[in-house]
Amino acid sequence: MPTPVLNIRRLGARGDGVSDDTSAFQQAAAAIAAAGGGTLLIPPGVYRVGRQTLSGAIGQGGSWKPEPIFRLQDCVGPVRIIGLGPATNRPTLRAADGLRFGSFDPITGQPAVNGLPFTNYDFRADAYTGMFELWRNADVRIENLVLDGNMNGLALGGPWGDVGYQCGATGVTCVSNERVSLQDLDIRDHGLDGIMIANWGGDDVLRPHDLERVSCTGNGRQGLSWVGCSGLSARHCRFLDTGRGRITSAPAAALDIEPEDTQMHTASFEHCEFGNSVGVSVISDNPAAGSSVSGVRFTHCTINGGDQYAILVRNEEFEFDQCRINGCLAFNPGRQLAAESIRIRNSLIHDRDPAAHRYGVLIDCSFGEPNLFEACTIVTYAQRLGHMSNARLRRCVFVAALVQEYAGGTDWILIVYRALVDHCEFRDELPLESGPILTINYSNETELIAPAVIPPDGRLRLFNAS
């Protein structure tokens, strides 16, 4: 039986930026679900979407309760949602002005401000769970759209959650789907996340989720929140400016990898850009008990720190290859990982941008089993190179290029206790003004293989601190 091809205009959508087009998208989702699949065509225009109703009572699970915009679940056939028109004139779904977001009194509907954490669901107001909500579908592709969360148009209540505004307002919400493809999307200014990919309480079966030429910018909590479903792939994507708008909620990350009740693995990020976030740009913190994440690879990516670390990883099997990283790095602090769990190859690591947060050392991987740095160039302008005890350093170039403001304020530049230092170079590009000798501290347990300090009579010195 053929599946329908629907045009959102023929379902009553105006696309004039003024009319309420929510009903047309609801009808489209219902028709596709009833047919077991189908195609939705969206011509150029601005489609205003989103509606809420005041619950008016306690015990309703929320204060201002949102209607779904496009919610699709348990669809067994392929679904295609296609924006028509060129990239310069993509159709836009824009959240309506005045959607409530945060904590509101369920009786009066007025904003309610309480001390955090505050998680009373009677007071929670979700603007929308997702402009597109995908639950347990077989195969969905969305392409060539702008999803505008209209953050400045939200009616803010008090904070709700453990910290900040942890209520619903996400561009695309994907939960327990078999396959999802997102292409040529501009997802911006949502109160919560740009994209959330989840499989709560699920297994570790590969369920491919492919992102290509997707831009997530200016969202409140995460650009991309990956909390489940193994088999993620992102190419030529941008995840920028998280928390820089009207709403900021922790972790305010460009990319947050945080398994929740599942074992996540196998992800690839190629030619992607992450950065300028209020929180850590790329974070994979300690997983919850019974959860794990592994097998994550970044290739030809640019990762810029914002107000915090550029990268913070406490999980197994992460690899960064041919990347450019501007900002501080912390690997496995406070958690014991297997040897070479985190591998950085053929990459440039530096702190040239003054916006990169300073933690005193550019790289901290001092806890746990060895991390591998191979054929990397590591340059510091405003802090020490790092505390890299236990690391395996092969064919790396370390450059001390501290400006005068920082060059005279320390006596050591790098610690490599119990490390392997194999054919590495340490270059002195310090200011010409006189200053203290800066030591590269190693211990008796450190294996030094042909290290080179250039120039040998400069201000850098190898020093056995045992």
Side-chain angles (χ1 to χ4, degrees):
M1 179 178 177
T3 56
V5 177
L6 308 172
N7 188 306
I8 198 69
R9 294 292 182 91
R10 294 179 183 174
L11 296 173
R14 301 285 295 274
D16 58 10
V18 178
S19 304
D20 182 357
D21 291 328
T22 305
S23 294
F25 284 92
Q26 293 172 339
Q27 291 177 47
I32 289 172
T39 299
L40 175 62
L41 303 178
I42 307 175
V46 177
Y47 299 86
R48 185 172 70 84
V49 293
R51 289 197 294 249
Q52 294 168 308
T53 303
L54 179 64
S55 66
I58 298 294
Q60 303 301 304
S63 52
W64 288 94
K65 304 186 74 172
E67 294 184 23
I69 298 169
F70 186 99
R71 179 185 174 107
L72 189 69
Q73 61 187 54
D74 301 314
C75 197
V76 297
V79 176
R80 303 293 179 257
I81 301 166
I82 302 173
L84 305 178
T88 54
N89 189 30
R90 287 176 179 159
T92 297
L93 277 69
R94 178 174 295 155
D97 287 337
L99 294 176
R100 281 79 169 182
F101 184 71
S103 180
F104 290 80
D105 188 286
I107 307 298
T108 67
Q110 295 303 304
V113 179
N114 298 276
L116 292 175
F118 181 72
T119 56
N120 186 331
Y121 274 83
D122 286 329
F123 287 76
R124 173 171 169 156
D126 297 326
Y128 44 88
T129 301
M131 283 190 169
F132 288 96
E133 294 179 63
L134 309 175
W135 298 76
R136 303 180 301 277
N137 301 291
D139 182 6
V140 181
R141 186 174 77 228
I142 304 175
E143 60 182 75
N144 198 43
L145 292 171
V146 176
L147 306 182
D148 180 359
N150 188 21
M151 184 184 291
N152 289 333
L154 293 173
L156 281 183
W160 191 97
D162 53 351
V163 61
Y165 288 82
Q166 306 281 350
C167 301
T170 293
V172 182
T173 299
C174 306
V175 181
S176 301
N177 299 280
E178 293 299 317
R179 178 182 293 273
V180 174
S181 176
L182 306 177
Q183 299 179 9
D184 298 299
L185 301 180
D186 181 358
I187 305 174
R188 61 183 184 233
D189 299 326
H190 293 271
L192 196 65
D193 302 334
I195 301 169
M196 184 180 69
I197 299 172
N199 186 31
W200 293 308
D203 52 39
D204 61 353
V205 174
L206 285 172
R207 292 180 171 86
H209 284 60
D210 299 318
L211 283 58
E212 189 150 7
R213 297 180 301 278
V214 172
S215 175
C216 293
T217 58
N219 301 291
R221 185 179 69 167
Q222 269 107 228
L224 171 58
S225 177
W226 181 34
V227 296
C229 281
S230 298
L232 174 62
S233 174
R235 295 174 297 277
H236 301 283
C237 295
R238 302 166 68 242
F239 306 95
L240 304 172
D241 305 329
T242 305
R244 294 295 180 193
R246 184 183 178 199
I247 297 168
T248 302
S249 296
L255 167 63
D256 183 21
I257 302 173
E258 183 181 3
E260 296 181 0
D261 302 321
T262 189
Q263 286 71 50
M264 292 163 35
H265 62 88
T266 313
S268 173
F269 297 88
E270 301 178 26
H271 295 280
C272 292
E273 183 180 0
F274 308 84
N276 193 35
S277 299
V278 169
V280 178
S281 289
V282 174
I283 183 170
S284 183
D285 212 338
N286 288 335
S291 303
S292 66
V293 57
S294 63
V296 181
R297 180 179 173 86
F298 297 79
T299 308
H300 293 288
C301 290
T302 298
I303 304 171
N304 294 315
D307 293 354
Q308 298 185 31
Y309 290 103
I311 302 171
L312 171 61
V313 172
R314 291 184 169 121
N315 288 290
E316 307 276 357
E317 296 181 34
F318 273 65
E319 183 164 338
F320 300 83
D321 190 8
Q322 300 178 77
C323 293
R324 298 179 65 88
I325 302 166
N326 175 26
C328 297
L329 283 61
F331 295 124
N332 57 279
R335 185 162 187 243
Q336 195 82 15
L337 302 180
E340 297 193 13
S341 284
I342 299 167
R343 302 176 293 276
I344 305 92
R345 295 186 170 99
N346 309 299
S347 296
L348 170 64
I349 303 167
H350 66 97
D351 62 354
R352 184 76 181 192
D353 186 346
H357 197 78
R358 313 293 181 205
Y359 282 90
V361 294
L362 182 57
I363 301 173
D364 183 359
C365 58
S366 56
F367 186 90
E369 295 299 324
N371 300 299
L372 173 65
F373 291 78
E374 187 170 53
C376 292
T377 298
I378 302 164
V379 188
T380 184
Y381 297 91
Q383 59 198 318
R384 293 168 169 138
L385 282 162
H387 196 321
M388 303 180 70
S389 296
N390 303 298
R392 294 173 180 169
L393 313 174
R394 294 192 173 98
R395 303 189 309 282
C396 291
V397 177
F398 294 85
V399 181
L402 295 172
V403 298
Q404 188 64 36
E405 177 185 357
Y406 299 99
T410 183
D411 58 355
W412 63 270
I413 192 72
L414 177 64
I415 293 177
V416 285
Y417 299 152
R418 302 174 302 280
L420 169 67
V421 181
D422 184 359
H423 287 83
C424 292
E425 293 184 7
F426 304 93
R427 294 187 176 273
D428 176 356
E429 295 186 7
L430 295 163
L432 294 177
E433 292 88 341
S434 62
I437 297 296
L438 301 183
T439 59
I440 301 152
N441 293 355
Y442 66 97
S443 64
N444 290 333
E445 296 86 1
T446 302
E447 185 177 1
L448 294 175
I449 303 174
V453 180
I454 303 172
D457 57 351
R459 287 170 55 189
L460 296 187
R461 295 285 192 278
L462 286 167
F463 175 72
N464 189 335
S466 294

